[in-house]
Amino acid sequence: MTKSNILTDTFGRKHNYLRISLTERCNLRCTYCMPADGIQLSPKAHIMTYEEIFTIAKQFVDHGVTKIRLTGGEPLVRKDAAQIIEKLASLPVQLTLTTNGVIVDKFIELFKKSGIKTLNVSLDSLDSQKNQKITRRQYFEKVYNNIILLVQEGFKVKVNCVLMKGFNDNEIIDFINLSKDLPLHVRFIEFMPFDGNQWKMDKLVSLKEILSEVHSNFKKEDIIKLEDAPSDTTKSYQIKNYQGTFAIISSVTNPFCDGCNRVRLTANGQIKNCLFSSTESDLLTPLREGKSIAPIIEKAVKGKFKIRSGMDTLDKFKRIDGHNNRSMITIGG
Ligand code: SAM
Ligand code: SF4
């Protein structure tokens, strides 16, 4: 078997994109991501160390991974985050991050030194009070200013916005208008079910509804559909003469599994072959026992379902309520 085969699943999808969660901890408490009363954190001894993260990442890279995203929890609250970023930057990969933006200003020079060019920053409302309500913390100004700072410093910034009916769906156009004078890439994400996030189908703002709002506010000829790569999770658009773009991530109403190239590694060293998978494969224990982890990675990849961990229809999907999956904060979105 050639080295790269272990990351190819039974549907021929090549997994060249690894998302590593650095921590289960976070400095925000977003309602859609974690339960109000918090989560049971893994014992510290069960969290991958800096060296273990590098060893596992290197194995993936040796088998064909070309892109690594660091996520969490909030990846930047981990004490050795800077050290991990520097070390992973020595691998031949495109390195990137998903962050809530609260403390990114402290990492600008490190990002530059590490070759990080693109960052995803989460921001769900442009209204400071609403933002406080959704994140259960008050950091709106900080995050907003940090997004502007990142743009000024030359980073490509994608703004992740989870839409929820009756809460922030009236801000769709305001978010798109952010991309008028700033080269920002706004991404509307359909609200997804995870443990403890009170998901209901009727809270979700669908791809169809988002596009309908766009069409009610802009002239048809000004809405430009952009090309999406096969492995893109987004449907991308641009408003004519706007500097930035907007996109929709419709994991619920219009899954994009055909081109999926992602594998997730949780902070406690488990692989998830799909965001919606309720099963995981432990890499950390065998790694600590000195065993080879390649066969475990291969088994996990080969066990991947064609669509959304077997929930191939919206009906099947609606029947789950997230209880068979971790909270998003412990997966790493
Ligand atoms: N703390 C970082 C952040 O917020 O960007 C990284 C981790 S967070 C889990 C990664 C992404 O998952 C964020 O963009 C967040 O909005 C998204 N996310 C969390 N829970 C979600 C849910 N229930 N539905 C859709 N997206 C979700
Ligand atoms: Fe923290 Fe990100 Fe989850 Fe919000 S979405 S609670 S910032 S991990």
Side-chain angles (χ1 to χ4, degrees):
M1 182 169 295
T2 66
K3 271 197 147 189
S4 59
N5 272 350
I6 75 163
L7 294 180
T8 302
D9 72 7
T10 56
F11 304 97
R13 294 175 293 198
K14 290 187 169 54
H15 294 75
N16 59 359
Y17 181 6
L18 175 67
R19 300 166 79 107
I20 306 176
S21 171
L22 295 190
T23 177
E24 298 170 352
R25 295 175 183 275
C26 189
N27 42 2
L28 300 184
R29 294 281 180 276
C30 303
T31 58
Y32 52 74
C33 180
M34 63 187 295
D37 48 0
I39 53 150
Q40 179 80 43
L41 292 169
S42 299
K44 193 158 184 276
H46 294 189
I47 298 291
M48 293 183 293
T49 63
Y50 153 77
E51 290 85 359
E52 287 162 345
I53 291 173
F54 183 73
T55 305
I56 295 176
K58 170 105 180 36
Q59 288 241 6
F60 274 93
V61 173
D62 288 347
H63 287 281
V65 159
T66 55
K67 178 172 175 181
I68 293 181
R69 174 175 301 281
L70 303 180
T71 178
E74 172 49 37
L76 298 178
V77 301
R78 183 166 161 150
K79 285 200 179 71
D80 54 0
Q83 204 186 355
I84 294 169
I85 291 170
E86 260 191 299
K87 185 77 180 160
L88 292 178
S90 69
L91 293 171
V93 288
Q94 181 194 342
L95 187 61
T96 183
L97 253 116
T98 301
T99 169
N100 60 30
V102 175
I103 53 172
V104 285
D105 49 317
K106 299 189 172 68
F107 289 83
I108 301 277
E109 288 316 311
L110 175 77
F111 292 160
K112 287 186 180 170
K113 209 170 75 183
S114 310
I116 292 177
K117 300 205 162 39
T118 307
L119 288 113
N120 291 7
V121 184
S122 299
L123 183 70
D124 305 301
S125 175
L126 297 171
D127 170 324
S128 163
Q129 281 185 350
K130 269 162 82 173
N131 215 66
Q132 178 171 14
K133 203 167 169 203
I134 196 93
T135 62
R136 304 183 180 113
R137 294 288 184 274
Q138 181 51 292
Y139 285 116
F140 171 76
E141 310 288 339
K142 189 86 189 118
V143 173
Y144 188 84
N145 291 337
N146 274 345
I147 288 175
I148 305 293
L149 176 69
L150 286 170
V151 172
Q152 284 167 347
E153 292 289 340
F155 293 95
K156 177 171 178 178
V157 181
K158 300 183 185 176
V159 174
N160 283 352
C161 171
V162 178
L163 287 176
M164 273 164 295
K165 213 161 261 177
F167 179 73
N168 57 357
D169 51 346
N170 60 345
E171 296 188 58
I172 293 172
I173 304 304
D174 295 342
F175 267 103
I176 293 176
N177 283 336
L178 263 190
S179 73
K180 186 173 183 190
D181 298 320
L182 286 169
L184 281 176
H185 305 278
V186 177
R187 292 139 43 100
F188 298 113
I189 308 178
E190 287 183 348
F191 178 37
M192 297 181 278
F194 296 102
D195 190 26
N197 77 353
Q198 321 267 313
W199 183 83
K200 283 207 178 61
M201 186 67 200
D202 58 14
K203 286 190 193 168
L204 172 148
V205 186
S206 69
L207 166 81
K208 213 170 143 195
E209 289 166 321
I210 299 167
L211 286 180
S212 152
E213 179 75 358
V214 173
H215 281 275
S216 315
N217 285 274
F218 295 100
K219 284 193 260 163
K220 197 171 172 218
E221 59 271 27
D222 290 346
I223 307 167
I224 303 160
K225 176 74 193 76
L226 303 173
E227 206 172 314
D228 301 304
S231 59
D232 272 352
T233 53
T234 47
K235 301 215 173 354
S236 307
Y237 298 82
Q238 186 166 37
I239 301 298
K240 198 173 164 187
N241 298 327
Y242 277 30
Q243 286 196 47
T245 62
F246 71 95
I248 303 165
I249 303 182
S250 54
S251 331
V252 179
T253 66
N254 200 345
F256 31 75
C257 307
D258 281 354
C260 184
N261 62 349
R262 296 160 170 72
V263 187
R264 292 180 157 81
L265 177 64
T266 64
N268 64 348
Q270 314 289 308
I271 325 185
K272 274 177 93 76
N273 63 13
C274 172
L275 186 52
F276 298 109
S277 161
S278 53
T279 57
E280 300 171 353
S281 309
D282 183 13
L283 289 189
L284 191 54
T285 311
L287 183 81
R288 287 180 177 177
E289 288 168 352
K291 294 183 184 149
S292 166
I293 57 170
I296 305 166
I297 297 175
E298 176 167 32
K299 194 166 173 224
V301 170
K302 301 273 190 251
K304 181 159 170 161
F305 280 85
K306 188 168 192 300
I307 296 178
R308 242 175 5 203
S309 199
M311 294 173 289
D312 47 359
T313 64
L314 189 54
D315 245 15
K316 284 188 199 163
F317 194 80
K318 278 190 213 164
R319 263 179 259 142
I320 67 155
D321 57 6
H323 291 308
N324 63 346
N325 202 349
R326 292 165 171 245
S327 290
M328 182 62 137
I329 192 167
T330 66
I331 301 176

